[in-house]
């Protein structure tokens, strides 16, 4: 199941290229990180005019393919960057940064419940072509913001930071090296902070606090002071330098959106895209434990998985639903997904006792007492008036993390759950529908 699989970020182009059947296997074998950018980019399609389809149809089709069972919206890079600059740690451990959780304590152990994220609720509405007026406004503002980015202003600030060391880059690698030098402290460090302030619109009050904390830390390079903020700044500097030399076009406004997906790279094992710009630049920013998969290769592999399980499983097995048997990918490295699991989640083979039996259903049982535990956890939160997660609390130390999801019973040609689950009236939480 996707909770066990590698984390993956997809851009709109890669998800849009999938069929609904193929998207089932993306959800089954990967844990998808839903970036705020994907949400806004999809929403922005409401302002497009295409003869063959209405804008609402386009958004509905994309929303139908969004992973539901194994997906987590991550926090916006601006919020995370400002928090990081104010001294809060941002984990770069290839997992999403979740917001809005409520904590509880059972048997002297702390756990956390996350309600369904508003963005996931929005995708559910969009599948029904139910759009709020505010969402249509967001779509228009997004396109306007892309057109108003002041390249020359930010390039001038970079020139001031580097002084006589500034040179226009001749390659993507040159741009990457210059951006790396700046976040490592080369050039005017205070003006580097000012550049970032302007790029992400930090207000004066917050910026004064940031500068004060930074002074107390000895005015160290931003890479040492706030690693995640430095990652975001590095990407922006790289992009501005590339556009200054024509390595990336300023005229194609969507390039600004494409580059912004890279802000979220630290939160995923895999980045997938069919975009030519992503293919050129994403590998530059990846660490050894990360992989880039072209959108074409992912689509081909998901189609192969779809055909594999369609032939492997009997009609009766399919009636029990995908999540009764697709806990692990096939034991065959002809599948790219299996290669990714072996590379990024090698311990999965220790957990899968059915690998030697191709016809095994890989069926997993819900642990005894889990349902009762969830009910007690929800009741405890209610009793403590929905206590927020304590400041500085590390989810790594939580005894368990519960994510609330609304999931369809069928997607494309595939039934996802058994009749027993789909027809159950049992409620684990009082507000379940």
């Amino acid at each position: 199941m996707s909770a066990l699989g590698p984390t993956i970020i997809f851009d709109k182009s890669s998800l849009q290229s999938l069929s609904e059947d193929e998207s089932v296997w993306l959800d089954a074998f990967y844990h998808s990180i839903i970036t705020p950018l994907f949400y806004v980019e999809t929403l922005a399609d409401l302002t497009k005019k295409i003869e063959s389809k209405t804008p609402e149809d386009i958004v509905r089709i994309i929303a139908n393919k969004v992973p539901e069972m194994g997906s987590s919206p991550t926090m916006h890079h601006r919020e995370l960057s400002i928090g990081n600059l104010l001294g809060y740690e941002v984990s770069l451990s290839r997992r999403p940064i979740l917001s809005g959780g409520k904590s509880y304590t059972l048997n002297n152990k702390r756990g956390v419940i996350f309600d369904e994220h508003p963005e996931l609720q929005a995708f559910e509405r969009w599948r029904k072509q139910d759009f709020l007026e505010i969402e249509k406004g967001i779509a228009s503002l997004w396109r306007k913001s892309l057109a108003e980015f002041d390249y020359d202003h930010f390039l001038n600030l970079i020139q001031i930071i580097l002084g006589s060391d500034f040179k226009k880059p001749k390659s993507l690698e040159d741009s990457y090296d210059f951006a790396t030098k700046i976040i490592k402290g080369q050039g005017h460090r205070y003006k580097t902070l000012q550049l970032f302030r302007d790029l992400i619109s930090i207000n004066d009050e917050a910026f004064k606090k940031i500068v004060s904390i930074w002074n107390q830390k000895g005015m160290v390079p931003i890479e040492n002071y706030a690693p995640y903020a430095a990652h975001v700044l590095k990407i922006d500097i790289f992009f501005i330098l590339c556009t200054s030399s024509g390595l990336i076009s300023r005229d194609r406004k969507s390039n600004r959106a494409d580059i912004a997906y890279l802000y979220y790279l630290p939160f995923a094992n895999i980045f997938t895209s069919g975009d030519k710009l992503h293919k050129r630049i994403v590998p530059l920013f990846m660490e050894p434990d990360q992989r880039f998969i072209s959108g074409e290769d992912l689509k081909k592999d998901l189609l192969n998985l779809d055909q594999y399980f369609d032939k492997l499983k009997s009609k009766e097995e399919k009636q029990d639903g995908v999540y009764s048997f697709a806990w692990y990918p096939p034991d065959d490295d002809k599948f790219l997904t299996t290669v990714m699991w072996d590379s990024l989640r090698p311990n999965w083979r220790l957990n899968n006792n059915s690998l030697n039996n191709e016809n095994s259903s890989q069926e997993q049982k819900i642990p005894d007492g889990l349902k009762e535990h969830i009910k007690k956890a929800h009741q405890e939160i209610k009793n403590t008036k929905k206590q927020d997660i304590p400041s500085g609390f590390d989810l790594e130390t939580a005894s368990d993390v519960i994510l609330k999801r609304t999931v369809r019973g069928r997607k494309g040609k595939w039934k996802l759950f058994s009749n027993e689950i789909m027809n159950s009236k049992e409620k684990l939480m009082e507000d379940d529908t």
Side-chain angles (χ1 to χ4, degrees):
M1 189 175 284
S2 50
L4 306 174
T7 49
I8 188 170
I9 288 174
F10 49 77
D11 71 338
K12 187 165 72 73
S13 70
S14 56
L15 191 73
Q16 205 162 9
S17 72
L18 302 180
S19 69
E20 278 194 54
D21 292 339
E22 291 160 355
S23 72
V24 167
W25 306 104
L26 173 65
D27 203 4
F29 295 128
Y30 297 91
H31 190 98
S32 295
I33 311 302
I34 309 295
T35 67
L37 184 61
F38 172 79
Y39 170 84
V40 177
E41 249 205 317
T42 301
L43 192 57
D45 279 344
L46 286 176
T47 62
K48 285 185 176 180
K49 293 182 179 179
I50 298 177
E51 292 182 3
S52 59
K53 294 183 178 71
T54 67
E56 291 78 9
D57 274 336
I58 294 170
V59 176
R60 174 184 58 78
I61 290 168
I62 296 172
N64 271 331
K65 303 171 188 178
V66 172
E68 301 164 38
M69 188 72 170
S71 61
S72 298
T74 194
M75 288 181 65
H76 196 282
H77 71 276
R78 181 178 179 272
E79 297 175 58
L80 292 172
S81 295
I82 293 173
N84 201 202
L85 289 167
L86 287 169
Y88 295 97
E89 183 181 356
V90 177
S91 175
L92 310 181
S93 58
R94 315 298 179 234
R95 281 172 289 186
I97 307 297
L98 306 176
S99 62
K102 302 297 180 182
S103 69
Y104 62 88
T105 302
L106 285 177
N107 302 320
N108 296 318
K109 293 182 179 179
R110 188 183 294 277
V112 180
I113 288 180
F114 290 90
D115 284 335
E116 188 169 31
H117 199 278
E119 275 135 341
L120 294 181
Q121 293 175 344
F123 287 124
E124 185 181 356
R125 283 191 292 101
W126 298 353
R127 290 197 296 270
K128 304 169 186 174
Q129 293 194 333
D130 178 10
F131 302 98
L132 304 178
E133 284 304 314
I134 191 172
E135 292 171 336
K136 295 178 180 179
I138 290 171
S140 297
L141 287 172
W142 168 245
R143 292 202 173 278
K144 183 180 178 183
S145 70
L146 293 181
E148 293 179 348
F149 189 75
D150 193 341
Y151 291 92
D152 292 328
H153 169 71
F154 293 120
L155 178 62
N156 182 57
L157 293 179
I158 293 171
Q159 289 174 322
I160 293 171
I161 290 169
L162 288 175
S164 60
D165 291 331
F166 176 81
K167 295 177 184 177
K168 279 201 173 183
K170 296 180 179 179
S171 66
L172 297 176
E173 288 74 17
D174 282 349
S175 298
Y176 180 88
D177 290 342
F178 275 124
T180 301
K181 288 175 181 177
I182 291 174
I183 68 162
K184 287 185 176 294
Q186 183 171 318
H188 200 297
R189 294 182 183 177
Y190 177 69
K191 292 190 180 300
T192 298
L193 276 183
Q194 287 182 312
L195 168 64
F196 198 39
R197 175 199 63 193
D198 293 351
L199 281 165
I200 64 170
S201 302
I202 303 175
N203 65 45
D204 290 342
E205 183 180 355
F207 189 66
K208 285 179 182 178
K209 290 181 182 178
I210 288 166
V211 172
S212 175
I213 297 169
W214 179 62
N215 280 327
Q216 293 172 20
K217 298 287 186 180
M219 295 178 288
V220 297
I222 189 171
E223 182 182 57
N224 304 117
Y225 172 62
Y228 177 70
H231 168 78
V232 173
L233 177 59
K234 182 177 179 178
I235 288 165
D236 278 343
I237 294 172
F238 167 84
F239 177 64
I240 294 162
L241 289 173
C242 285
T243 60
S244 74
S245 296
L247 298 166
I248 297 176
S249 172
R250 291 186 181 188
D251 297 331
R252 187 172 182 264
K253 302 305 179 185
S254 61
N255 282 341
R256 174 69 183 142
D258 292 336
I259 198 77
Y261 275 98
L262 277 68
Y263 297 150
Y264 303 95
L265 274 180
F267 311 134
N269 300 120
I270 299 168
F271 188 96
T272 182
S273 171
D275 185 85
K276 291 180 180 178
L277 181 60
H278 283 150
K279 292 177 183 178
R280 291 170 58 205
I281 64 174
V282 170
L284 284 171
F285 289 89
M286 287 194 141
E287 300 292 337
D289 64 337
Q290 294 180 299
R291 306 288 183 269
F292 177 82
I293 301 177
S294 73
E296 297 92 337
D297 288 344
L298 180 66
K299 178 178 173 63
K300 180 180 177 181
D301 192 59
L302 296 176
L303 174 59
N304 289 338
L305 286 167
D306 186 65
Q307 294 172 342
Y308 169 84
F309 283 106
D310 202 15
K311 293 177 182 176
L312 179 66
K313 297 302 174 183
S314 66
K315 185 176 181 180
E316 290 72 24
E317 288 174 316
K318 291 174 185 176
Q319 282 300 307
D320 288 333
V322 166
Y323 291 112
S324 71
F325 58 79
W327 286 71
Y328 302 97
D331 182 22
D332 189 337
D333 61 10
K334 76 176 183 182
F335 294 99
L336 178 59
T337 295
T338 303
V339 173
M340 289 297 103
W341 277 59
D342 281 338
S343 175
L344 301 166
R345 295 286 187 273
N347 290 336
W348 74 278
R349 292 182 178 274
L350 300 177
N351 299 324
N352 186 11
N353 297 322
S354 62
L355 279 173
N356 294 323
N357 181 2
E358 191 179 54
N359 293 318
S360 170
S361 69
Q362 301 186 14
E363 184 175 355
Q364 300 283 328
K365 298 295 185 183
I366 296 175
D368 292 338
L370 178 60
K371 291 181 180 180
E372 191 61 31
H373 178 81
I374 293 174
K375 289 179 181 179
K376 288 181 179 179
H378 188 258
Q379 185 60 44
E380 182 64 20
I381 286 177
K382 184 179 178 181
N383 292 341
T384 54
K385 297 183 179 180
K386 297 187 176 181
Q387 180 180 333
D388 291 334
I389 300 176
S391 176
F393 176 71
D394 185 355
L395 282 180
E396 290 291 317
T397 64
S399 61
D400 48 64
V401 177
I402 300 169
L403 305 175
K404 188 175 179 181
R405 293 284 183 269
T406 300
V407 184
R408 284 172 286 174
R410 180 177 290 277
K411 195 172 186 181
K413 70 185 178 189
W414 289 97
K415 189 176 179 182
L416 302 181
F417 303 98
S418 67
N419 288 334
E420 180 183 0
I421 292 175
M422 292 172 63
N423 296 330
S424 175
K425 302 298 183 182
E426 181 179 13
K427 293 185 177 183
L428 299 183
M429 302 180 185
E430 287 183 5
D431 57 345
D432 279 354
T433 56

